[in-house]
Amino acid sequence: MKRFLTILLATLALSAALCVSASASSFDGAARELSTIGMLKGTADGFDLDKAPTRAQAAIMLVRLYGAEERAQGLYSSGRITCPFADVNETAAPYVAWLVDEGLANGITETSFGAAEPCTAKAYTIFLLRALGYQDKEDFTTANAQEFAQSLGLLDTSALTGTFLRDDLVALTYQALGTDMKDGKMYLLEHLIEDCELDVSGARTLTKKIEYYRDINSASSALREGVSAKINLNMEMDVSRIAPGDTQPSGEIERVALACGGDVKLAMKRYPEMALDLTMKADGQEENVKLWLKGDWVYAQTGEASVKMETGEEIWKLLEDSAQKEAGASLLPFVADISKQASGDEAVYTMDMNDAYESLVKDITAQVLEANHVSGSAGGEMDMKGFTIRYTVKGGTLKSVSADTALSMKIDGGEAEGTVMAGMSMDMKMDILSSGSAVKISFPDFSDFEEVIGGADGPTGISGTLVS
């Protein structure tokens, strides 16, 4: 059980530190920041982030995103623009009228805007692309609008849930503020401050956050093609176990110290290739684990065991989706704050992640536990108590990334294994050795690797051999 737990936690911690995915999260922090610059207005009940936005609400948000709220209201009240739709109330009428007059929105019929109908993720994404200066049929089509937006860093956080909420509208809007305009001269928030009516004083804090984030993305750009790095990870865990049928831990708390270090290489080709060579140390015992991803196969080697498993379509879809995503502004809604300390040509950026990111990692962990059923695990859950990432940039190039967090985890092993409870502190550092298209991976001869089959009960060969 201990070997299973330490290896599993190491894998999850690395995934948490390096993985970016979409999940249902609550972007309260982003909503509050949008509120400070006048783009989002709540009610006595808050921002209603758990409700689906209507087309009328999306229209209001879009006009504010253009910095045209006062202009729209003035033009409407003077009669210079009118709203042609009978189903739009007086609150939303100036906004819809301005969008129609500017050619930025249409009704669902000649007389109906569909004001009370839910706004879809695709419809709002198209609104945002227009705000960024992109043109329908010239730069994107209705069919590929979301894929095109994703290439710019606009990540639809409703992709996994299938329900587009005000929460997701906030996240997309927040991402768009840090995204370049089509002409590349400014990012959207900068454009709103320079050319529109946005309150500069209210936007100052958000502007600094976006610019620091963009600095980090610029320094990390070569990593999207490939990276070779040294990783060191240290964990300290307090582990207890609840036996099947019991409600309280039995026996003493077991203290486990785990160190994991080694080489990581990732090359982004038509299909990503990866090589991991990690040494794990726990309680005086040492184990080397090697993992390769090549073509349609994952290869693993530890001790005397050498196994391979076909990846299947799902993992390739995930990898292809990840490869298509530019870093852009996609993580911005998950960032609570960024600070910078500079000395000469070196700068250290400290990024504190918010509750939405903690929810993201918690969801990823739950999915990993549920999907893999490693060594009989029936699932589990995780809580994160803060996550801080530090980026060291020298001469405009990313040199290292470090992260630290504290976690608590519950792993349900089912009737046979009982429940494992773990409290953990973790720190990780990754030193970048090289990046870009020059990163190459040399693979060993895989001809003697034994094939194992993954299924509902997980990769049986690996669970029986690697995690006894």
Side-chain angles (χ1 to χ4, degrees), residues 11 14 18 36 57 84 104 110 131 142 150 182-183 203 210 227 246 279 314 396 398 402 407-408 443-444 447:
T11 303
L14 284 170
L18 303 175
T36 64
Q57 291 170 339
L104 297 170
E110 289 187 2
T142 300
Q150 183 174 278
K182 179 183 176 180
D183 61 15
I210 288 175
V227 61
D246 291 347
T279 298
E314 290 186 2
L398 184 66
S402 62
L407 311 172
S408 61
F443 294 98
S447 59

Side-chain angles (χ1 to χ4, degrees), residues 118-178:
C119 178
T120 65
K122 177 176 284 190
Y124 193 68
T125 298
I126 291 173
F127 288 156
L128 291 179
L129 291 174
R130 292 169 181 163
L132 291 166
Y134 295 98
Q135 302 295 319
D136 306 52
K137 299 181 180 179
E138 177 182 327
D139 300 302
F140 66 91
T141 64
T142 300
N144 73 0
Q146 287 173 288
E147 290 77 12
F148 179 72
Q150 183 174 278
S151 74
L152 303 175
L154 298 179
L155 191 66
D156 174 16
T157 55
S158 71
L160 294 186
T161 64
T163 303
F164 187 65
L165 302 176
R166 283 172 59 89
D167 199 44
D168 306 301
L169 179 146
V170 163
L172 273 171
T173 304
Y174 198 88
Q175 294 164 22
L177 291 176

Side-chain angles (χ1 to χ4, degrees), residues 222-223 225-229 264-267 430 432-436 439:
L223 273 66
E225 295 184 57
V227 61
S228 174
V264 175
K265 285 188 177 182
L266 178 65
M430 180 171 69
I432 312 296
L433 304 178
S434 62
S435 60
V439 175

Side-chain angles (χ1 to χ4, degrees), residues 323-390:
Q324 290 169 5
K325 295 174 187 173
E326 294 291 336
S330 62
L331 264 183
L332 265 175
F334 297 99
V335 179
D337 185 45
I338 306 177
S339 62
K340 175 184 177 181
Q341 288 188 327
S343 177
D345 68 343
E346 182 173 290
V348 178
Y349 297 85
T350 301
M351 181 187 296
D352 293 314
M353 310 309 288
N354 59 22
D355 291 344
Y357 185 78
E358 295 174 18
S359 176
L360 169 71
V361 175
K362 181 177 179 179
D363 289 349
I364 291 172
T365 303
Q367 291 169 26
V368 169
L369 289 170
E370 182 177 356
N372 286 282
H373 301 287
V374 179
S375 189
S377 174
E381 59 187 48
M382 184 187 74
D383 288 318
M384 177 179 289
K385 299 174 177 65
F387 198 107
T388 299
I389 309 173
R390 296 174 183 83

Side-chain angles (χ1 to χ4, degrees), residues 42-75:
T43 66
D45 298 323
F47 296 111
D48 292 330
L49 299 182
D50 59 342
K51 295 181 179 179
T54 64
R55 284 174 53 86
Q57 291 170 339
I60 292 172
M61 174 69 89
L62 183 62
V63 173
R64 290 172 180 163
L65 194 62
Y66 274 93
E69 183 170 27
E70 292 183 9
R71 192 184 325 148
Q73 291 174 337
L75 290 171

